[in-house]
Amino acid sequence: MPTAPPVVKPASRRTTWIIVGGIAAVLAVVTAVVWGNGDSYRETVAACRQALEAQTKAGGSGRPDVCEGVKKDDYDALVVGAVLKYGLGQQDKDTLDLYDDGSINGSLG
């Protein structure tokens, strides 16, 4: 007598929901791990600031690779800040600064 193919019993609703819940839990854990390990925008901006200051001190130019994730307006502000802090070099001192001992010493006209 020929044998009949085995009858596959469909999964119960409980089994289906257990599988769906397990997949959702795994996706939630993976998302949390990936999101938690990424740099925040604030950390990216801080790293960009440090790179720009070091580059400006050394006399370099161009956009450092670490600044790729920084918005244009924020990057422009960081560049201006770095240039004002380190890029202008030693400026001539004002005459009043050179002769300031509490009196004007004839330094004004």
Side-chain angles (χ1 to χ4, degrees), residues 94-97 99 103-109:
D94 185 33
T95 307
L96 289 175
D97 291 337
Y99 300 108
S103 62
I104 294 181
N105 291 340
S107 60
L108 288 178

Side-chain angles (χ1 to χ4, degrees), residues 9 11 19-20 35-36 43 49 56 63 81 87 91 97 99-100:
K9 185 177 174 183
I19 291 171
V20 169
W35 181 73
E43 292 169 340
R49 177 183 296 118
T56 306
R63 185 178 185 132
Q91 298 296 317
D97 291 337
Y99 300 108
D100 189 19

Side-chain angles (χ1 to χ4, degrees), residues 9-108:
K9 185 177 174 183
S12 70
R13 286 186 182 181
R14 182 184 308 168
T15 305
T16 302
W17 283 111
I18 289 173
I19 291 171
V20 169
I23 291 171
V26 167
L27 286 175
V29 168
V30 168
T31 301
V33 167
V34 169
W35 181 73
N37 285 334
D39 287 341
S40 71
Y41 184 71
R42 183 175 291 172
E43 292 169 340
T44 303
V45 170
C48 180
R49 177 183 296 118
Q50 289 177 348
L52 279 171
E53 288 178 359
Q55 177 176 304
T56 306
K57 280 183 190 179
S61 63
R63 185 178 185 132
D65 292 335
V66 74
C67 296
E68 290 302 319
V70 177
K71 297 175 189 173
K72 182 184 181 327
D73 290 342
D74 293 339
Y75 177 75
D76 291 344
L78 291 173
V79 169
V80 169
V83 168
L84 289 175
K85 190 171 184 180
Y86 298 106
L88 296 176
Q90 181 66 26
Q91 298 296 317
D92 292 335
K93 291 188 175 184
D94 185 33
T95 307
L96 289 175
D97 291 337
L98 293 174
Y99 300 108
D100 189 19
D101 61 355
S103 62
I104 294 181
N105 291 340
S107 60
L108 288 178

